[in-house]
Amino acid sequence: MDRLASFGNDPFDKPPCRGCSSYLVEPYIKCAECGPSPFLLCLQCFTRGYEYKKHQSDHKYEIMTSDFPVLEPGWTAQEEMALLEAVMDCGFGNWQDVAYQMRTKTKEECEGHYMKNFINNPLFSSTLLSLRQMEDHLSRTADTAIPFKLWPFVFVIMSSTAPAATDDPPRPSFDSQVSRDMAGYMPARADFMEEFDNYAEWDLKDIDFVDDDSDILHALKVAVVDIYHSRLEERQRRKKIIRDHGLINLRKFQILERRYPKEVQDLYDVMRRFARVVGPIEHDKFIESHALEFELRREIRRLQEYRREGIQSFCGAKVYERVKRIREDERRKRNMLCDVLQYIHDARACQQWLHKQAAIDAGITPVVTTITTSGRRSAPPLNLTGLPGTEKLNEREKELCQVVRLVPGAYLEYKQALLNECRRQGGLRLAQARSLIKIDVNKTRKIYDFLIKEGYINKA
């Protein structure tokens, strides 16, 4: 069993228990064999031996808890995160409020621990010094921040070449998709349509300072104003994080994120919550370092594969890669037979597949063409395997649903509607069938002709 940490203090940040759907409280259990999505259980469901689908009660598991020291004994990982959150909320130096928010440490303990481990720590001091030296070096080179014209903030983009002039920021129309993607941000005003804690001003709208206020009433009004100021500071803090990290232009942010492999993107999603405690450059350096580590690990695995295959030179590695690609192409061509099995009843689709296979065998790139007499591309037959209602159809009805590409449940509903109308009127015309079934008119005609041919309905 591994003893791992979950640094979130809020239980709402964690997924619910898979057994009872309650919010998880540390310590809780994580299955080490089920994946890729984590299978989490509370202690009560774990002791009952809860099993679900592939998860079995005898699987290996990990105990997820943050109740262990990180920097010094007496301070757990959860308390370290709570201290950083409290300092961020209450401000540096306001140790009395920090201790009140911590609830488990005194004012002196909070101040001493923070000064010792986060301010006067030699390791952090050397790291900050190296970062300052790196920033000084970057400021003397072409790696500078690229300002967005007319934007009230700066997107920090690390580039190896001199930056070019950028375009104006997008100015989408109100209530458009782009405006919603930008959370209602208005570039010309440097503001949002709806702010964080949008109704904070409502608490002040009826406050009026007059000379005949009592001391208690005056102090109460001042306290309300102080609370409002703290809410404004939180609003500005959130804006600053969004601006510093360039999160307003969501599409550009997503494009930059897609540069990384899938594994690094997953790490990016997990580490995004920590971007608020570091600067944008430091956060990007952290992600870039992990992307580099991923590339190095992939290269190491490739070299280990060469070693297992007995390859001792890069020339032999090139030959191995070429032969490997040829082998994969041959395997893919053998597997292409499965593609045509579902089209076995469609002569045109079979002919297209044979042309494609002949082109591949000749070593040329196959050209996908549609061989039809009407000039339109015919859709492949519908696969009815596993669809509800298939067992209620006979073979001719199944063939009709495959050709018309109609699910069995819908066909049975349309058939019953036409039968009822035919019984009511003593017959049914095609125009009446089209008024009853609001689908493609060609499909309606095929269903109508089929039911006439099979004797289910009569013409009017």
Side-chain angles (χ1 to χ4, degrees):
M1 295 185 297
D2 293 332
R3 195 161 173 261
L4 302 178
S6 176
F7 291 100
N9 296 328
D10 191 353
F12 297 93
D13 291 341
K14 307 183 184 69
C17 172
R18 297 294 292 272
C20 59
S21 300
S22 61
Y23 288 105
L24 294 172
V25 179
E26 295 182 356
Y28 56 95
I29 304 299
K30 175 184 176 183
C31 180
E33 300 184 18
C34 297
S37 59
F39 192 92
L40 306 179
L41 292 174
C42 63
L43 294 181
Q44 289 76 11
C45 294
F46 175 73
T47 54
R48 291 199 303 266
Y50 177 79
E51 295 182 348
Y52 180 74
K53 291 185 178 180
K54 296 183 179 180
H55 175 71
Q56 302 296 324
S57 58
D58 58 351
H59 281 184
K60 296 180 180 179
Y61 60 94
E62 301 170 352
I63 301 177
M64 308 297 290
T65 178
S66 58
D67 187 18
F68 60 91
V70 177
L71 299 178
E72 65 179 30
W75 281 78
T76 63
Q78 187 173 2
E79 289 175 332
E80 298 284 357
M81 291 298 298
L83 176 63
L84 295 178
E85 291 281 352
V87 172
M88 188 184 306
D89 294 340
C90 304
F92 177 79
N94 193 5
W95 302 114
Q96 185 65 41
D97 292 343
V98 169
Y100 178 78
Q101 184 169 329
M102 284 283 297
R103 297 184 181 276
T104 58
K105 301 294 180 181
T106 64
K107 178 180 71 173
E108 292 76 17
E109 289 175 335
C110 294
E111 180 180 4
H113 182 77
Y114 191 90
M115 297 299 295
K116 174 183 176 182
N117 295 281
F118 297 99
I119 301 298
N120 300 324
N121 193 325
L123 175 61
F124 292 168
S125 300
S126 60
T127 304
L128 293 175
L129 179 61
S130 62
L131 288 176
R132 292 194 188 98
Q133 293 174 351
M134 185 176 297
E135 291 175 358
D136 294 339
H137 172 70
L138 291 175
S139 63
R140 293 192 295 269
T141 62
D143 296 336
T144 56
I146 302 178
F148 230 135
K149 289 196 296 183
L150 300 182
W151 288 69
F153 56 89
V154 171
F155 282 112
V156 178
I157 303 176
M158 302 302 296
S159 174
S160 59
T161 59
T166 56
D167 299 329
D168 288 344
R171 297 173 182 267
S173 59
F174 174 72
D175 202 26
S176 64
Q177 181 61 42
V178 179
S179 177
R180 288 192 292 270
D181 290 342
M182 296 172 62
Y185 184 75
M186 298 175 289
R189 293 180 53 185
D191 218 340
F192 291 90
M193 292 291 296
E194 184 173 344
E195 297 284 357
F196 169 75
D197 201 356
N198 197 45
Y199 299 100
E201 288 76 12
W202 281 31
D203 296 336
L204 297 177
K205 63 184 181 67
D206 297 328
I207 291 183
D208 186 17
F209 287 89
V210 294
D211 295 336
D212 56 350
D213 283 343
S214 63
D215 293 341
I216 297 179
L217 182 59
H218 181 80
L220 181 61
K221 292 181 178 180
V222 171
V224 172
V225 174
D226 291 339
I227 294 174
Y228 171 68
H229 284 167
S230 65
R231 298 165 78 175
L232 286 184
E233 290 175 356
E234 175 63 18
R235 181 184 296 175
Q236 294 302 321
R237 184 184 74 87
R238 291 173 179 258
K239 280 187 179 180
K240 185 176 184 301
I241 294 175
I242 295 175
R243 292 170 177 173
D244 290 346
H245 289 269
L247 303 180
I248 291 181
N249 198 336
L250 180 62
R251 297 188 182 276
K252 282 196 172 183
F253 184 78
Q254 292 174 342
I255 291 174
L256 293 175
E257 188 174 324
R258 293 193 192 101
R259 297 178 306 166
Y260 302 114
K262 178 64 170 61
E263 293 78 2
V264 181
Q265 291 182 18
D266 295 339
L267 175 67
Y268 205 112
D269 292 336
V270 174
M271 300 305 297
R272 185 178 289 122
R273 68 186 66 179
F274 298 104
R276 58 181 178 173
V277 297
V278 295
I281 296 180
E282 290 78 6
H283 183 69
D284 289 344
K285 287 177 181 177
F286 176 78
I287 300 299
E288 288 288 347
S289 63
H290 280 77
L292 177 60
E293 178 188 3
F294 175 78
E295 294 295 336
L296 292 176
R297 289 179 179 274
R298 184 165 60 181
E299 182 66 17
I300 290 174
R301 287 195 297 268
R302 188 171 68 90
L303 296 177
Q304 289 176 343
E305 180 184 0
Y306 293 159
R307 175 179 293 181
R308 288 194 303 268
E309 300 297 335
I311 300 173
Q312 299 180 355
S313 64
F314 285 105
C315 181
K318 293 181 180 179
V319 176
Y320 170 77
E321 292 291 344
R322 184 168 63 253
V323 174
K324 182 179 178 181
R325 285 194 299 270
I326 295 174
R327 185 169 59 249
E328 291 176 353
D329 292 340
E330 292 293 335
R331 184 185 301 110
R332 187 162 49 249
K333 287 193 294 186
R334 290 194 300 269
N335 293 337
M336 284 183 65
L337 182 60
C338 299
D339 299 340
V340 80
L341 293 180
Q342 56 179 333
Y343 308 128
I344 196 65
H345 299 293
D346 192 336
R348 288 189 297 270
C350 290
Q351 191 172 0
Q352 292 176 25
W353 182 85
L354 291 174
H355 280 282
K356 181 179 177 181
Q357 183 69 19
I360 293 176
D361 293 339
I364 61 177
T365 302
V367 178
V368 179
T369 58
T370 304
I371 305 174
T372 59
T373 57
S374 61
R376 297 179 58 186
R377 182 176 180 178
S378 60
L382 179 65
N383 186 7
L384 302 182
T385 304
L387 294 181
T390 306
E391 68 281 355
K392 299 179 181 180
L393 306 180
N394 56 37
E395 294 301 326
R396 291 184 297 277
E397 288 178 323
K398 290 180 181 178
E399 184 177 355
L400 173 67
C401 290
Q402 288 176 340
V403 174
V404 181
R405 295 187 61 81
L406 194 65
V407 296
Y411 165 75
L412 292 173
E413 181 181 349
Y414 299 152
K415 175 184 174 182
Q416 189 62 39
L418 296 178
L419 290 177
N420 294 338
E421 186 68 16
C422 181
R423 295 192 194 100
R424 190 174 65 85
Q425 297 187 3
L428 191 66
R429 292 183 288 111
L430 178 60
Q432 294 172 329
R434 287 175 175 171
S435 63
L436 290 174
I437 305 177
K438 303 298 183 179
I439 58 175
D440 182 68
V441 293
N442 295 322
K443 292 185 178 182
T444 305
R445 183 178 186 85
K446 291 181 180 180
I447 297 174
Y448 176 80
D449 293 341
F450 174 80
L451 295 178
I452 292 290
K453 180 180 177 181
E454 296 295 324
Y456 290 107
I457 61 176
N458 300 319
K459 287 186 178 181

Short mmCIF file of all heavy atoms in Angstrom, two decimals, residues 392-404 406 411-412 414-415 418-419 428 430 433 437 442-459:
data_model
loop_
_atom_site.label_atom_id
_atom_site.label_comp_id
_atom_site.label_asym_id
_atom_site.label_seq_id
_atom_site.Cartn_x
_atom_site.Cartn_y
_atom_site.Cartn_z
N LYS A 392 -37.55 -8.20 -32.85
CA LYS A 392 -38.96 -8.20 -33.23
C LYS A 392 -39.16 -8.17 -34.75
O LYS A 392 -40.31 -8.20 -35.21
CB LYS A 392 -39.66 -6.99 -32.61
CG LYS A 392 -39.62 -6.97 -31.08
CD LYS A 392 -40.32 -5.74 -30.53
CE LYS A 392 -40.26 -5.71 -29.00
NZ LYS A 392 -40.93 -4.51 -28.45
N LEU A 393 -38.08 -8.07 -35.53
CA LEU A 393 -38.17 -7.96 -36.98
C LEU A 393 -37.91 -9.31 -37.63
O LEU A 393 -37.11 -10.12 -37.12
CB LEU A 393 -37.17 -6.93 -37.51
CG LEU A 393 -37.20 -5.53 -36.90
CD1 LEU A 393 -36.13 -4.66 -37.54
CD2 LEU A 393 -38.57 -4.89 -37.05
N ASN A 394 -38.58 -9.54 -38.77
CA ASN A 394 -38.23 -10.71 -39.57
C ASN A 394 -37.07 -10.36 -40.49
O ASN A 394 -36.58 -9.23 -40.50
CB ASN A 394 -39.45 -11.22 -40.35
CG ASN A 394 -40.05 -10.13 -41.25
OD1 ASN A 394 -39.33 -9.31 -41.82
ND2 ASN A 394 -41.38 -10.13 -41.34
N GLU A 395 -36.62 -11.32 -41.29
CA GLU A 395 -35.43 -11.11 -42.12
C GLU A 395 -35.65 -10.02 -43.16
O GLU A 395 -34.76 -9.21 -43.42
CB GLU A 395 -35.03 -12.42 -42.80
CG GLU A 395 -34.57 -13.51 -41.83
CD GLU A 395 -33.37 -13.06 -41.03
OE1 GLU A 395 -32.53 -12.32 -41.57
OE2 GLU A 395 -33.27 -13.45 -39.84
N ARG A 396 -36.85 -9.95 -43.76
CA ARG A 396 -37.11 -8.94 -44.78
C ARG A 396 -37.17 -7.55 -44.16
O ARG A 396 -36.70 -6.57 -44.76
CB ARG A 396 -38.41 -9.27 -45.52
CG ARG A 396 -38.31 -10.52 -46.40
CD ARG A 396 -39.60 -10.75 -47.19
NE ARG A 396 -40.74 -11.00 -46.32
CZ ARG A 396 -41.04 -12.19 -45.81
NH1 ARG A 396 -40.28 -13.25 -46.08
NH2 ARG A 396 -42.09 -12.35 -45.03
N GLU A 397 -37.74 -7.46 -42.97
CA GLU A 397 -37.78 -6.15 -42.29
C GLU A 397 -36.38 -5.71 -41.87
O GLU A 397 -36.06 -4.52 -41.92
CB GLU A 397 -38.71 -6.24 -41.09
CG GLU A 397 -40.18 -6.33 -41.46
CD GLU A 397 -41.07 -6.46 -40.23
OE1 GLU A 397 -40.65 -7.14 -39.26
OE2 GLU A 397 -42.18 -5.89 -40.24
N LYS A 398 -35.56 -6.65 -41.43
CA LYS A 398 -34.17 -6.30 -41.09
C LYS A 398 -33.43 -5.77 -42.31
O LYS A 398 -32.68 -4.80 -42.23
CB LYS A 398 -33.45 -7.53 -40.53
CG LYS A 398 -33.93 -7.97 -39.15
CD LYS A 398 -33.16 -9.18 -38.67
CE LYS A 398 -33.65 -9.63 -37.30
NZ LYS A 398 -32.94 -10.85 -36.83
N GLU A 399 -33.63 -6.43 -43.47
CA GLU A 399 -32.97 -5.97 -44.69
C GLU A 399 -33.45 -4.58 -45.08
O GLU A 399 -32.66 -3.73 -45.51
CB GLU A 399 -33.25 -6.96 -45.82
CG GLU A 399 -32.52 -6.62 -47.11
CD GLU A 399 -32.77 -7.67 -48.18
OE1 GLU A 399 -33.42 -8.69 -47.88
OE2 GLU A 399 -32.33 -7.44 -49.33
N LEU A 400 -34.76 -4.29 -44.89
CA LEU A 400 -35.28 -2.96 -45.18
C LEU A 400 -34.64 -1.91 -44.27
O LEU A 400 -34.22 -0.83 -44.74
CB LEU A 400 -36.80 -2.95 -45.00
CG LEU A 400 -37.47 -1.57 -45.11
CD1 LEU A 400 -37.36 -1.05 -46.54
CD2 LEU A 400 -38.92 -1.63 -44.66
N CYS A 401 -34.54 -2.19 -42.97
CA CYS A 401 -33.94 -1.23 -42.03
C CYS A 401 -32.47 -0.99 -42.35
O CYS A 401 -31.97 0.13 -42.20
CB CYS A 401 -34.11 -1.74 -40.59
SG CYS A 401 -35.81 -1.71 -39.99
N GLN A 402 -31.75 -2.01 -42.81
CA GLN A 402 -30.35 -1.83 -43.16
C GLN A 402 -30.20 -0.94 -44.38
O GLN A 402 -29.35 -0.06 -44.42
CB GLN A 402 -29.71 -3.20 -43.41
CG GLN A 402 -29.49 -4.04 -42.16
CD GLN A 402 -28.94 -5.40 -42.47
OE1 GLN A 402 -29.05 -5.88 -43.60
NE2 GLN A 402 -28.36 -6.05 -41.46
N VAL A 403 -31.05 -1.17 -45.40
CA VAL A 403 -30.94 -0.39 -46.63
C VAL A 403 -31.40 1.05 -46.41
O VAL A 403 -30.75 2.01 -46.85
CB VAL A 403 -31.75 -1.07 -47.76
CG1 VAL A 403 -31.77 -0.19 -49.01
CG2 VAL A 403 -31.17 -2.44 -48.08
N VAL A 404 -32.52 1.22 -45.71
CA VAL A 404 -33.07 2.55 -45.47
C VAL A 404 -32.29 3.28 -44.36
O VAL A 404 -32.40 4.49 -44.22
CB VAL A 404 -34.56 2.44 -45.10
CG1 VAL A 404 -35.19 3.80 -44.87
CG2 VAL A 404 -35.32 1.73 -46.22
N LEU A 406 -32.57 2.80 -40.96
CA LEU A 406 -33.56 3.17 -39.97
C LEU A 406 -33.45 2.21 -38.80
O LEU A 406 -33.43 0.99 -38.98
CB LEU A 406 -34.96 3.09 -40.59
CG LEU A 406 -36.11 3.75 -39.83
CD1 LEU A 406 -35.91 5.25 -39.78
CD2 LEU A 406 -37.43 3.43 -40.50
N TYR A 411 -38.63 2.14 -36.89
CA TYR A 411 -39.40 1.44 -37.92
C TYR A 411 -40.68 0.84 -37.34
O TYR A 411 -41.76 0.95 -37.95
CB TYR A 411 -38.55 0.35 -38.56
CG TYR A 411 -39.37 -0.64 -39.37
CD1 TYR A 411 -39.87 -0.31 -40.62
CD2 TYR A 411 -39.66 -1.91 -38.85
CE1 TYR A 411 -40.64 -1.21 -41.35
CE2 TYR A 411 -40.42 -2.82 -39.58
CZ TYR A 411 -40.91 -2.47 -40.82
OH TYR A 411 -41.67 -3.35 -41.54
N LEU A 412 -40.60 0.21 -36.19
CA LEU A 412 -41.79 -0.39 -35.58
C LEU A 412 -42.82 0.68 -35.22
O LEU A 412 -44.03 0.46 -35.36
CB LEU A 412 -41.37 -1.17 -34.33
CG LEU A 412 -40.53 -2.43 -34.58
CD1 LEU A 412 -40.06 -3.02 -33.25
CD2 LEU A 412 -41.33 -3.48 -35.36
N TYR A 414 -43.22 3.63 -36.81
CA TYR A 414 -43.83 4.09 -38.06
C TYR A 414 -44.79 3.03 -38.62
O TYR A 414 -45.86 3.36 -39.12
CB TYR A 414 -42.74 4.40 -39.09
CG TYR A 414 -41.79 5.49 -38.67
CD1 TYR A 414 -40.48 5.52 -39.13
CD2 TYR A 414 -42.20 6.50 -37.81
CE1 TYR A 414 -39.61 6.52 -38.75
CE2 TYR A 414 -41.35 7.51 -37.42
CZ TYR A 414 -40.03 7.51 -37.89
OH TYR A 414 -39.18 8.49 -37.51
N LYS A 415 -44.40 1.78 -38.54
CA LYS A 415 -45.25 0.70 -39.04
C LYS A 415 -46.57 0.65 -38.30
O LYS A 415 -47.64 0.52 -38.92
CB LYS A 415 -44.50 -0.63 -38.89
CG LYS A 415 -45.32 -1.85 -39.26
CD LYS A 415 -44.55 -3.13 -38.99
CE LYS A 415 -45.42 -4.37 -39.22
NZ LYS A 415 -44.69 -5.63 -38.90
N LEU A 418 -48.84 3.55 -39.41
CA LEU A 418 -49.44 3.33 -40.71
C LEU A 418 -50.54 2.26 -40.65
O LEU A 418 -51.58 2.38 -41.32
CB LEU A 418 -48.36 2.95 -41.73
CG LEU A 418 -47.31 4.02 -42.03
CD1 LEU A 418 -46.27 3.48 -43.02
CD2 LEU A 418 -47.96 5.28 -42.59
N LEU A 419 -50.32 1.20 -39.88
CA LEU A 419 -51.33 0.16 -39.74
C LEU A 419 -52.60 0.70 -39.09
O LEU A 419 -53.72 0.39 -39.54
CB LEU A 419 -50.77 -1.01 -38.93
CG LEU A 419 -49.68 -1.86 -39.59
CD1 LEU A 419 -49.19 -2.93 -38.63
CD2 LEU A 419 -50.21 -2.52 -40.86
N LEU A 428 -54.80 3.23 -47.44
CA LEU A 428 -53.83 4.29 -47.17
C LEU A 428 -53.14 4.68 -48.47
O LEU A 428 -52.71 3.80 -49.24
CB LEU A 428 -52.80 3.83 -46.14
CG LEU A 428 -51.87 4.89 -45.57
CD1 LEU A 428 -52.68 5.89 -44.73
CD2 LEU A 428 -50.80 4.25 -44.70
N LEU A 430 -50.08 7.12 -50.42
CA LEU A 430 -48.70 7.53 -50.13
C LEU A 430 -48.66 8.93 -49.52
O LEU A 430 -47.87 9.19 -48.60
CB LEU A 430 -47.86 7.48 -51.41
CG LEU A 430 -46.40 7.93 -51.27
CD1 LEU A 430 -45.65 7.07 -50.25
CD2 LEU A 430 -45.69 7.87 -52.62
N ALA A 433 -49.38 8.65 -45.93
CA ALA A 433 -48.24 8.09 -45.19
C ALA A 433 -47.17 9.14 -44.95
O ALA A 433 -46.58 9.22 -43.87
CB ALA A 433 -47.67 6.90 -45.97
N ILE A 437 -45.63 10.30 -41.30
CA ILE A 437 -44.22 10.05 -40.97
C ILE A 437 -43.40 11.24 -41.43
O ILE A 437 -43.27 11.47 -42.64
CB ILE A 437 -43.71 8.75 -41.63
CG1 ILE A 437 -44.60 7.57 -41.24
CG2 ILE A 437 -42.27 8.49 -41.24
CD1 ILE A 437 -44.21 6.28 -41.91
N ASN A 442 -38.15 9.82 -49.51
CA ASN A 442 -37.72 8.59 -50.17
C ASN A 442 -37.79 7.40 -49.23
O ASN A 442 -38.19 6.29 -49.62
CB ASN A 442 -36.30 8.76 -50.71
CG ASN A 442 -36.24 9.82 -51.81
OD1 ASN A 442 -37.14 9.92 -52.63
ND2 ASN A 442 -35.17 10.62 -51.82
N LYS A 443 -37.40 7.63 -47.96
CA LYS A 443 -37.51 6.56 -46.97
C LYS A 443 -38.98 6.19 -46.72
O LYS A 443 -39.33 5.01 -46.58
CB LYS A 443 -36.84 6.97 -45.66
CG LYS A 443 -35.33 7.12 -45.75
CD LYS A 443 -34.74 7.42 -44.38
CE LYS A 443 -33.22 7.50 -44.46
NZ LYS A 443 -32.62 7.76 -43.13
N THR A 444 -39.83 7.22 -46.67
CA THR A 444 -41.25 6.94 -46.47
C THR A 444 -41.83 6.11 -47.61
O THR A 444 -42.62 5.19 -47.39
CB THR A 444 -42.02 8.26 -46.35
OG1 THR A 444 -41.44 9.05 -45.30
CG2 THR A 444 -43.48 8.01 -46.02
N ARG A 445 -41.42 6.43 -48.85
CA ARG A 445 -41.92 5.66 -49.99
C ARG A 445 -41.47 4.20 -49.92
O ARG A 445 -42.25 3.28 -50.22
CB ARG A 445 -41.44 6.30 -51.29
CG ARG A 445 -42.00 5.60 -52.53
CD ARG A 445 -41.56 6.27 -53.81
NE ARG A 445 -42.22 5.64 -54.94
CZ ARG A 445 -43.43 5.95 -55.39
NH1 ARG A 445 -44.14 6.90 -54.79
NH2 ARG A 445 -43.95 5.32 -56.43
N LYS A 446 -40.19 3.97 -49.53
CA LYS A 446 -39.69 2.60 -49.43
C LYS A 446 -40.45 1.81 -48.37
O LYS A 446 -40.79 0.65 -48.56
CB LYS A 446 -38.19 2.61 -49.14
CG LYS A 446 -37.34 3.11 -50.29
CD LYS A 446 -35.87 3.08 -49.95
CE LYS A 446 -35.03 3.57 -51.12
NZ LYS A 446 -33.57 3.55 -50.82
N ILE A 447 -40.72 2.47 -47.22
CA ILE A 447 -41.47 1.78 -46.17
C ILE A 447 -42.89 1.50 -46.64
O ILE A 447 -43.44 0.41 -46.41
CB ILE A 447 -41.47 2.64 -44.88
CG1 ILE A 447 -40.03 2.80 -44.35
CG2 ILE A 447 -42.37 2.02 -43.82
CD1 ILE A 447 -39.93 3.73 -43.17
N TYR A 448 -43.51 2.49 -47.31
CA TYR A 448 -44.88 2.33 -47.80
C TYR A 448 -44.95 1.19 -48.83
O TYR A 448 -45.84 0.32 -48.74
CB TYR A 448 -45.34 3.64 -48.41
CG TYR A 448 -46.71 3.61 -49.03
CD1 TYR A 448 -47.86 3.69 -48.25
CD2 TYR A 448 -46.87 3.48 -50.41
CE1 TYR A 448 -49.12 3.64 -48.82
CE2 TYR A 448 -48.13 3.44 -51.00
CZ TYR A 448 -49.26 3.53 -50.19
OH TYR A 448 -50.50 3.47 -50.77
N ASP A 449 -44.02 1.17 -49.78
CA ASP A 449 -44.02 0.10 -50.79
C ASP A 449 -43.78 -1.26 -50.16
O ASP A 449 -44.38 -2.26 -50.57
CB ASP A 449 -42.96 0.40 -51.85
CG ASP A 449 -43.29 1.63 -52.68
OD1 ASP A 449 -44.47 2.03 -52.68
OD2 ASP A 449 -42.37 2.20 -53.30
N PHE A 450 -42.91 -1.30 -49.16
CA PHE A 450 -42.61 -2.59 -48.49
C PHE A 450 -43.85 -3.12 -47.78
O PHE A 450 -44.18 -4.32 -47.87
CB PHE A 450 -41.47 -2.40 -47.51
CG PHE A 450 -41.18 -3.61 -46.67
CD1 PHE A 450 -40.44 -4.67 -47.18
CD2 PHE A 450 -41.66 -3.71 -45.38
CE1 PHE A 450 -40.19 -5.80 -46.41
CE2 PHE A 450 -41.41 -4.83 -44.60
CZ PHE A 450 -40.67 -5.87 -45.12
N LEU A 451 -44.56 -2.24 -47.06
CA LEU A 451 -45.75 -2.69 -46.33
C LEU A 451 -46.86 -3.11 -47.29
O LEU A 451 -47.63 -4.05 -47.00
CB LEU A 451 -46.24 -1.58 -45.40
CG LEU A 451 -45.29 -1.19 -44.26
CD1 LEU A 451 -45.88 -0.04 -43.43
CD2 LEU A 451 -44.98 -2.37 -43.36
N ILE A 452 -46.98 -2.45 -48.45
CA ILE A 452 -47.95 -2.85 -49.47
C ILE A 452 -47.59 -4.22 -50.03
O ILE A 452 -48.45 -5.12 -50.17
CB ILE A 452 -48.02 -1.81 -50.59
CG1 ILE A 452 -48.64 -0.51 -50.08
CG2 ILE A 452 -48.79 -2.34 -51.79
CD1 ILE A 452 -50.10 -0.58 -49.76
N LYS A 453 -46.28 -4.40 -50.32
CA LYS A 453 -45.83 -5.67 -50.91
C LYS A 453 -46.01 -6.82 -49.94
O LYS A 453 -46.40 -7.94 -50.33
CB LYS A 453 -44.37 -5.54 -51.32
CG LYS A 453 -43.78 -6.79 -51.95
CD LYS A 453 -42.33 -6.58 -52.32
CE LYS A 453 -41.72 -7.85 -52.90
NZ LYS A 453 -40.27 -7.67 -53.25
N GLU A 454 -45.77 -6.59 -48.66
CA GLU A 454 -45.88 -7.66 -47.67
C GLU A 454 -47.31 -7.88 -47.23
O GLU A 454 -47.59 -8.81 -46.46
CB GLU A 454 -45.01 -7.34 -46.46
CG GLU A 454 -43.52 -7.30 -46.77
CD GLU A 454 -42.98 -8.63 -47.19
OE1 GLU A 454 -43.45 -9.66 -46.65
OE2 GLU A 454 -42.10 -8.68 -48.08
N GLY A 455 -48.24 -7.04 -47.65
CA GLY A 455 -49.64 -7.22 -47.30
C GLY A 455 -50.06 -6.67 -45.96
O GLY A 455 -51.14 -7.00 -45.47
N TYR A 456 -49.23 -5.82 -45.34
CA TYR A 456 -49.61 -5.24 -44.06
C TYR A 456 -50.70 -4.18 -44.21
O TYR A 456 -51.56 -4.02 -43.35
CB TYR A 456 -48.38 -4.63 -43.37
CG TYR A 456 -47.38 -5.65 -42.88
CD1 TYR A 456 -46.17 -5.83 -43.54
CD2 TYR A 456 -47.64 -6.41 -41.75
CE1 TYR A 456 -45.26 -6.77 -43.10
CE2 TYR A 456 -46.73 -7.34 -41.31
CZ TYR A 456 -45.53 -7.52 -41.97
OH TYR A 456 -44.62 -8.45 -41.55
N ILE A 457 -50.65 -3.41 -45.31
CA ILE A 457 -51.62 -2.35 -45.55
C ILE A 457 -52.13 -2.46 -46.99
O ILE A 457 -51.53 -3.16 -47.83
CB ILE A 457 -51.03 -0.95 -45.32
CG1 ILE A 457 -49.85 -0.71 -46.28
CG2 ILE A 457 -50.59 -0.76 -43.87
CD1 ILE A 457 -49.26 0.69 -46.16
N ASN A 458 -53.23 -1.75 -47.26
CA ASN A 458 -53.82 -1.75 -48.60
C ASN A 458 -53.85 -0.32 -49.12
O ASN A 458 -53.98 0.66 -48.36
CB ASN A 458 -55.26 -2.29 -48.56
CG ASN A 458 -55.30 -3.73 -48.03
OD1 ASN A 458 -54.45 -4.55 -48.38
ND2 ASN A 458 -56.30 -4.00 -47.19
N LYS A 459 -53.78 -0.20 -50.46
CA LYS A 459 -53.89 1.13 -51.06
C LYS A 459 -55.34 1.59 -51.00
O LYS A 459 -56.28 0.81 -51.15
CB LYS A 459 -53.44 1.08 -52.52
CG LYS A 459 -51.95 0.93 -52.70
CD LYS A 459 -51.57 1.05 -54.17
CE LYS A 459 -50.04 0.95 -54.35
NZ LYS A 459 -49.64 1.08 -55.77
#
